Coordinates of all heavy atoms in Angstrom, one line a residue:
I77 N 111.9 85.4 52.4 CA 113.2 85.0 52.7 C 114.1 84.6 51.5 O 115.3 84.7 51.6 CB 113.3 83.9 53.8 CG1 112.6 82.6 53.3 CG2 112.7 84.4 55.1 CD1 112.8 81.4 54.3
C78 N 113.4 84.1 50.5 CA 114.2 83.6 49.3 C 114.4 84.7 48.3 O 115.0 84.5 47.2 CB 113.4 82.4 48.7 SG 113.3 81.0 49.8
V79 N 114.1 85.9 48.6 CA 114.4 87.1 47.7 C 115.7 87.7 48.2 O 115.8 88.0 49.4 CB 113.3 88.2 47.9 CG1 113.6 89.5 47.1 CG2 111.9 87.6 47.4
P80 N 116.7 87.8 47.3 CA 118.0 88.4 47.7 C 117.8 89.8 48.4 O 117.0 90.6 47.9 CB 118.7 88.6 46.3 CG 118.1 87.6 45.4 CD 116.7 87.5 45.9
G81 N 118.5 90.0 49.5 CA 118.4 91.2 50.2 C 117.3 91.3 51.2 O 117.2 92.3 52.0
Y82 N 116.5 90.2 51.4 CA 115.3 90.3 52.3 C 115.9 90.5 53.7 O 115.4 91.4 54.4 CB 114.6 89.0 52.2 CG 113.6 88.8 53.4 CD1 112.4 89.6 53.3 CD2 113.8 88.1 54.5 CE1 111.4 89.5 54.3 CE2 112.9 88.0 55.5 CZ 111.7 88.7 55.4 OH 110.8 88.7 56.5
S83 N 116.8 89.7 54.1 CA 117.3 89.8 55.6 C 117.8 91.2 55.9 O 117.4 91.7 57.0 CB 118.4 88.7 55.8 OG 117.8 87.5 55.8
S84 N 118.6 91.7 55.0 CA 119.1 93.1 55.3 C 118.0 94.2 55.3 O 118.1 95.1 56.0 CB 120.2 93.4 54.3 OG 119.7 93.4 53.0
S85 N 117.0 93.9 54.5 CA 115.8 94.9 54.6 C 115.1 94.9 55.8 O 114.4 95.9 56.1 CB 114.9 94.6 53.4 OG 114.1 93.5 53.7
I86 N 115.1 93.9 56.7 CA 114.4 93.9 57.9 C 115.2 93.8 59.1 O 114.8 93.8 60.3 CB 113.3 92.7 58.0 CG1 114.1 91.4 57.9 CG2 112.3 92.8 56.9 CD1 113.2 90.2 58.4
R87 N 116.6 93.9 59.0 CA 117.5 93.8 60.1 C 117.4 95.0 61.0 O 117.3 96.1 60.5 CB 118.9 93.7 59.6 CG 120.0 93.5 60.7 CD 121.3 93.1 60.1 NE 121.3 92.0 59.1 CZ 121.2 90.7 59.5 NH1 121.2 90.4 60.8 NH2 121.2 89.7 58.5
P88 N 117.3 94.8 62.3 CA 117.1 96.0 63.2 C 118.4 96.8 63.2 O 119.5 96.3 62.9 CB 116.8 95.4 64.6 CG 117.3 94.0 64.5 CD 117.3 93.5 63.0
S89 N 118.3 98.0 63.7 CA 119.4 98.9 63.7 C 120.5 98.5 64.8 O 120.1 97.8 65.7 CB 119.0 100.4 64.0 OG 118.6 100.4 65.4
T90 N 121.7 98.8 64.5 CA 122.7 98.4 65.5 C 122.5 99.1 66.8 O 122.9 98.6 67.8 CB 124.1 98.7 65.0 OG1 124.3 100.0 64.6 CG2 124.5 97.7 63.8
S91 N 121.9 100.3 66.8 CA 121.7 101.0 68.1 C 120.7 100.2 68.9 O 120.9 100.1 70.1 CB 121.2 102.4 67.8 OG 119.9 102.4 67.2

Side-chain angles (χ1 to χ4, degrees):
I77 64 171
C78 297
V79 173
Y82 171 78
S83 293
S84 60
S85 74
I86 64 162
R87 187 169 307 284
S89 69
T90 54
S91 61

